C-alpha cells in the first residue's frame, strides 16, 4: 500500500490539486452570489485588489498602470484570482494527507480577504458575510472531496487492479464536476438576481422626489455626549423583517391594490402617489421585540401620502375594523382601521429622512403608523391593502402567538452611562430617550442606587409621535452604582417596574444600568 502510493505520488497530486481548485472556485462563487444578493459593495476579490492598489507604492502603481493601461483593474483581479486558485491547489495537495494544514491555508486566505474588506471606506460588519461564507465553503467542499476519495481508497487497495482505480477516478471526476456545476449555478444565479437588485438601487439613487429632509427641531437634542442622535440616520436605522433577500421592485412594476370592504376598489401607481399631496412628519418606529433598554427603535422624518385620504376615496364600509396589508414578499399584518382613518399621520411613505426609502426599509412604498409597533402596521414593500375585519384573518405574527393589537408601550432607556461603564467619581451627566408614540411623554425620572427619583430635563419635540431625549446629573462616589429610569406619559400612566417578556405584545419594566465610578 505504502509502495503503491509512492509510485503514484506525483501523478496522484493532480486530482488533489484539482479538488483544491474546485473548492477555491466554489468559495468564490458563493461569496460572489452573496455579495450581489446582500448588496455588499464589493466582492472579497475586488476588495483584495483594491487593498493591493492601496498598499502599492504610488510610483510603482503608476508605472504598472502605464504598462497595462485601462486593463489595470481587471488584470489585477485576474491576478488575485489566479493566486487564490494556486493557493487552493496547494491546499488540495496538503489536504490529501490531513485537512488541518489545508484549512489553515484557506483560513489565511479568508483572513487576508477579511482585512481587505474591513479596511474599505464605509465598511459595515455585514460586508464580511461573503468572506465568511466563502471560507466556510472552502472548508466544506475540500473536506467533502477528500473524505469521499478516502472512502474509495480501500476498494482500490483490496482489488489491487487498475479497473477500480479507474472507476474511482471516474467517480472523483464526477464529484468534482457536480461541485463545479453547483458552484456555477450559485455564482451565476446570485449574480443575475443581485443584478436586478442593483438596477433597482441605481434607479432609486437617481430619483428626485418632492420631499424634504426635515431639520431636527431646536432643543430636541440635549447636550449629553453618548445619547443616540434624535434623528436616526438611514444607515443606522434598525432593520427587522423576514426577508432573506429583500424584494427588488422596479418603480414601473409597482402597483398598490386597495380592495375588500370598500365602495371603490383602487389601484395606484408610484406616479399616482407623487401626484398627490405629500405629508411629512417625524415619527419614531419601534419593534415589539425591543427588550427593555434595547435599540430596535429609530426616529426619522417620513414623507408620503396620508392613508386616511386614500381610504376616504375608496369608501370604507362601516362594518370594517381592520386593514390587512401585504408586502411583495408575502408578509402581512393587520392594523386597526381607526389608526389609519383618524387624524394621525399614518403614511404610505415613499421617503425617509429626505431620501427615497432604502431598499431594506421598504422601497418603493411602506406604511408608517404613529403609535403602533412595526409588526402590526409598518409593512415594507407594500403592494396590497384589504379593508376587512379582525375576525376574518390572522396575519404573519399573530398566527405565531403575538397579539393582534400592538399599541406601543410607554418606555424609557438610559444611553449614558453604558451598562458596565467605568466613569470617574463626581458629578456625572446621564441621559437617554423615552417614548410613548401618539400619546406623548409627560415626564421622565431617574434615580441612583434606589434613592429618590429625580425629574429629568426633557428635549423639545414637535409632537407626540416621536421619542424624547432626557438628561440629568448624578453625584457618584467611588464604587459600583445602579441607575434606573422611568417615564410617565400624557395619560398619567407611569411605567411599571414589573418586567415582562417581549411576547406577546411588548416588554415592560424599568431600564437599569450598572456602572463603576473610580
Ligand atoms: N414586508 C415586511 N414588512 C415588515 C416586516 C417584515 O418582516 N416584512 N417587519 C415589520 C416589523 S416587525 C418591524 S419592527 C418594522 C421594521 O421596519 P424597519 O426594518 O424599517 O426598521 O417593519 C415591519 N414591516
Ligand atoms: Mo418588529
Amino acid at each position: 500500500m505504502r509502495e503503491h502510493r509512492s509510485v503514484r505520488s506525483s501523478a496522484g497530486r493532480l486530482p488533489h490539486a484539482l479538488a483544491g481548485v474546485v473548492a477555491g472556485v466554489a468559495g468564490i462563487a458563493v461569496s460572489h452570489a452573496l455579495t450581489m444578493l446582500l448588496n455588499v459593495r464589493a466582492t472579497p476579490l475586488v476588495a483584495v485588489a483594491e487593498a493591493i492598489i492601496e498598499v502599492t507604492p504610488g510610483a510603482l502603481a503608476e508605472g504598472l498602470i502605464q504598462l497595462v493601461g485601462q486593463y489595470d483593474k481587471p488584470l489585477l483581479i485576474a491576478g488575485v484570482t489566479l493566486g487564490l486558485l494556486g493557493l487552493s491547489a496547494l491546499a488540495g495537495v496538503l489536504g490529501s494527507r490531513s485537512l488541518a494544514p489545508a484549512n489553515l491555508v484557506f483560513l489565511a486566505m479568508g483572513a487576508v480577504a477579511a482585512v481587505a474588506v474591513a479596511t474599505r471606506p464605509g465598511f459595515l460588519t455585514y460586508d464580511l458575510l461573503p468572506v465568511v461564507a466563502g471560507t466556510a465553503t472552502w472548508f466544506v467542499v475540500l473536506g467533502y472531496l477528500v473524505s469521499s476519495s478516502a472512502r474509495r481508497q480501500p476498494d482500490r487497495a483490496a482489488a489491487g487492479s487498475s479497473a477500480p482505480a479507474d472507476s474511482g477516478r471516474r467517480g472523483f471526476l464526477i464529484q468534482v464536476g457536480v461541485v463545479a456545476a453547483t458552484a456555477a449555478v450559485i455564482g451565476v444565479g446570485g449574480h443575475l438576481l443581485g443584478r436586478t437588485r442593483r438596477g433597482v438601487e441605481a434607479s432609486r439613487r437617481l430619483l428626485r422626489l418632492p420631499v424634504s429632509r426635515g431639520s431636527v427641531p431646536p432643543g430636541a437634542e440635549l447636550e449629553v455626549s453618548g445619547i443616540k442622535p434624535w434623528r436616526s440616520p438611514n444607515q443606522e436605522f434598525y432593520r427587522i423583517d423576514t426577508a432573506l433577500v429583500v424584494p427588488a421592485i422596479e418603480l414601473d412594476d409597482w402597483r398598490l391594490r386597495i380592495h375588500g370592504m370598500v365602495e371603490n376598489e383602487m389601484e395606484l401607481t408610484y406616479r399616482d402617489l407623487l401626484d398627490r399631496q405629500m405629508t411629512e412628519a417625524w415619527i419614531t418606529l419601534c419593534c415589539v421585540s425591543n427588550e427593555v433598554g434595547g435599540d430596535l427603535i429609530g426616529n426619522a422624518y417620513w414623507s408620503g401620502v396620508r392613508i386616511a385620504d386614500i381610504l376616504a376615496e375608496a369608501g370604507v364600509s362601516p362594518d370594517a375594523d381592520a386593514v390587512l396589508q401585504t408586502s411583495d414578499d408575502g408578509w402581512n399584518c393587520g392594523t386597526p382601521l381607526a389608526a389609519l382613518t383618524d387624524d394621525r399621520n399614518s403614511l404610505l411613505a415613499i421617503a425617509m429622512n429626505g431620501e427615497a426609502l432604502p431598499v431594506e426599509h421598504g422601497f418603493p412604498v411602506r406604511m408608517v403608523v404613529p403609535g403602533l409597533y412595526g409588526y402590526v402596521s409598518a409593512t415594507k414593500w407594500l403592494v396590497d391593502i384589504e379593508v376587512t375585519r379582525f375576525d376574518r384573518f390572522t396575519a404573519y405574527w399573530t398566527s405565531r402567538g403575538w397579539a393582534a393589537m400592538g399599541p406601543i408601550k410607554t418606555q424609557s432607556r438610559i444611553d449614558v452611562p453604558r451598562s458596565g461603564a467605568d466613569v470617574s467619581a463626581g458629578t456625572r451627566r446621564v441621559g437617554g430617550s423615552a417614548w410613548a408614540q401618539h400619546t406623548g411623554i409627560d415626564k421622565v425620572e431617574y434615580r441612583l442606587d434606589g434613592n429618590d427619583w429625580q425629574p429629568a430635563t426633557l428635549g423639545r419635540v414637535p409632537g407626540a409621535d416621536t421619542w424624547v431625549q432626557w438628561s440629568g446629573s448624578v453625584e457618584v462616589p467611588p464604587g459600583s452604582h445602579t441607575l434606573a429610569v422611568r417615564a410617565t406619559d400624557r395619560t398619567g400612566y407611569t411605567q411599571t417596574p414589573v418586567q415582562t417578556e417581549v411576547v406577546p405584545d411588548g416588554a415592560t419594566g424599568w431600564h437599569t444600568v450598572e456602572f463603576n465610578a473610580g
Side-chain angles (χ1 to χ4, degrees):
M1 176 66 190
R2 200 169 289 257
E3 200 184 357
H4 183 65
R5 201 188 254 191
S6 69
V7 169
R8 296 176 46 83
S9 70
S10 61
R13 264 189 211 136
L14 206 59
H16 298 304
L18 181 61
V21 169
V22 167
V25 169
I28 294 176
V30 166
S31 71
H32 183 85
L34 270 186
T35 302
M36 296 298 283
L37 289 173
L38 299 177
N39 204 29
V40 170
R41 194 190 58 84
T43 64
L45 275 174
V46 169
V48 169
E50 287 178 352
I52 290 176
I53 293 173
E54 217 170 78
V55 298
T56 305
L60 179 58
E62 273 161 37
L64 289 175
I65 288 171
Q66 261 171 16
L67 203 66
V68 295
Q70 69 194 30
Y71 300 110
D72 60 336
K73 216 170 164 198
L75 275 177
L76 184 56
I77 291 170
V80 172
T81 309
L82 279 179
L84 189 154
L85 294 179
L87 287 169
S88 301
L90 173 69
V93 171
L94 294 173
S96 66
R97 297 275 156 107
S98 141
L99 273 178
N103 283 344
L104 213 59
V105 172
F106 285 143
L107 198 64
M109 301 196 308
V112 168
V115 170
V117 167
T119 52
R120 295 309 88 211
F123 161 74
L124 305 168
T125 319
Y126 179 81
D127 297 346
L128 285 172
L129 279 175
V131 176
V132 172
T135 309
T137 306
W138 287 334
F139 291 176
V140 170
V141 171
L142 188 68
Y144 164 71
L145 291 176
V146 165
S147 75
S148 51
S149 88
R151 250 183 278 115
R152 276 192 304 273
Q153 210 82 6
D155 308 350
R156 199 160 70 192
S161 82
S162 70
D166 282 349
S167 83
R169 196 168 306 143
R170 201 173 313 121
F172 171 74
L173 287 177
I174 289 173
Q175 262 168 349
V176 162
V178 168
V179 171
T182 310
V185 168
I186 291 175
V188 173
H191 183 87
L192 293 179
L193 278 173
R195 199 173 55 176
T196 316
R197 165 78 198 277
R198 278 169 193 247
V200 168
E201 268 307 336
S203 51
R204 171 190 167 273
R205 265 194 300 274
L206 292 176
L207 273 179
R208 290 290 165 265
L209 297 176
V211 300
S212 56
R213 200 175 121 71
S215 42
V216 173
E221 293 208 297
L222 300 176
E223 303 283 305
V224 182
S225 84
I227 300 188
K228 278 278 160 69
W230 191 75
R231 180 210 300 268
S232 313
N234 290 357
Q235 280 75 18
E236 283 154 43
F237 205 96
Y238 85 95
R239 176 187 162 199
I240 295 283
D241 53 64
T242 57
L244 283 180
V245 174
V246 295
I249 304 171
E250 307 272 3
L251 278 189
D252 290 344
D253 297 341
W254 183 83
R255 296 284 183 283
L256 176 61
R257 185 166 167 239
I258 295 141
H259 61 112
M261 298 168 74
V262 295
E263 277 159 33
N264 322 301
E265 280 199 10
M266 295 169 75
E267 193 174 77
L268 299 174
T269 64
Y270 197 70
R271 187 77 254 162
D272 293 336
L273 287 186
L274 290 184
D275 287 344
R276 284 165 193 260
Q277 164 83 43
M278 281 291 142
T279 296
E280 308 197 299
W282 288 102
I283 299 165
T284 299
L285 213 67
C286 181
C287 184
V288 68
S289 299
N290 195 34
E291 308 273 353
V292 171
D295 56 7
L296 300 180
I297 178 164
N299 184 41
Y301 191 69
W302 303 92
S303 314
V305 173
R306 292 190 74 237
I307 180 76
D309 296 345
I310 306 274
L311 289 177
E313 251 180 77
V316 169
S317 152
D319 294 331
D321 65 3
V323 168
L324 180 62
Q325 313 166 24
T326 308
S327 71
D328 182 70
D329 65 337
W331 184 86
N332 64 5
C333 76
T335 312
L337 179 64
L340 305 184
T341 50
D342 65 16
D343 61 359
R344 78 185 81 185
N345 285 322
S346 294
L347 298 179
L348 290 169
I350 61 167
M352 179 177 184
N353 289 324
E355 260 181 50
L357 288 180
V359 175
E360 289 75 12
H361 293 289
F363 183 81
V365 179
R366 76 173 304 168
M367 280 286 267
V368 176
V369 180
L372 301 183
Y373 286 124
Y375 83 106
V376 290
S377 67
T379 308
K380 307 193 271 189
W381 315 291
L382 179 71
V383 293
D384 191 285
I385 283 182
E386 181 187 350
V387 178
T388 176
R389 299 183 47 85
F390 273 110
D391 57 20
R392 293 190 188 163
F393 70 91
T394 57
Y396 188 91
W397 286 117
T398 52
S399 67
R400 288 166 173 78
W402 296 78
M405 302 292 159
I408 294 178
K409 293 182 176 170
T410 301
Q411 267 292 352
S412 52
R413 184 180 79 189
I414 300 166
D415 287 349
V416 184
R418 296 239 154 261
S419 170
D422 288 306
V423 305
S424 43
T427 309
R428 295 265 69 86
R429 301 279 285 153
V430 298
S433 305
W435 56 90
Q437 288 92 314
H438 209 59
T439 301
I441 289 291
D442 186 41
K443 75 177 172 192
V444 174
E445 299 159 292
Y446 59 97
R447 72 173 183 194
L448 188 70
D449 302 329
N451 298 327
D452 291 341
W453 289 100
Q454 303 294 318
T457 302
L458 296 186
R460 245 183 321 211
V461 286
D465 295 342
T466 70
W467 61 6
V468 181
Q469 291 193 349
W470 65 269
S471 73
S473 67
V474 288
E475 204 58 53
V476 284
S480 62
H481 299 282
T482 304
L483 183 72
V485 67
R486 69 176 186 193
T488 300
D489 65 30
R490 290 199 194 134
T491 66
Y493 168 81
T494 300
Q495 272 182 262
T496 168
V498 178
Q499 303 267 353
T500 60
E501 301 288 313
V502 295
V503 188
D505 59 359
T508 63
W510 297 335
H511 187 210
T512 58
V513 299
E514 286 173 16
F515 64 100
N516 289 299

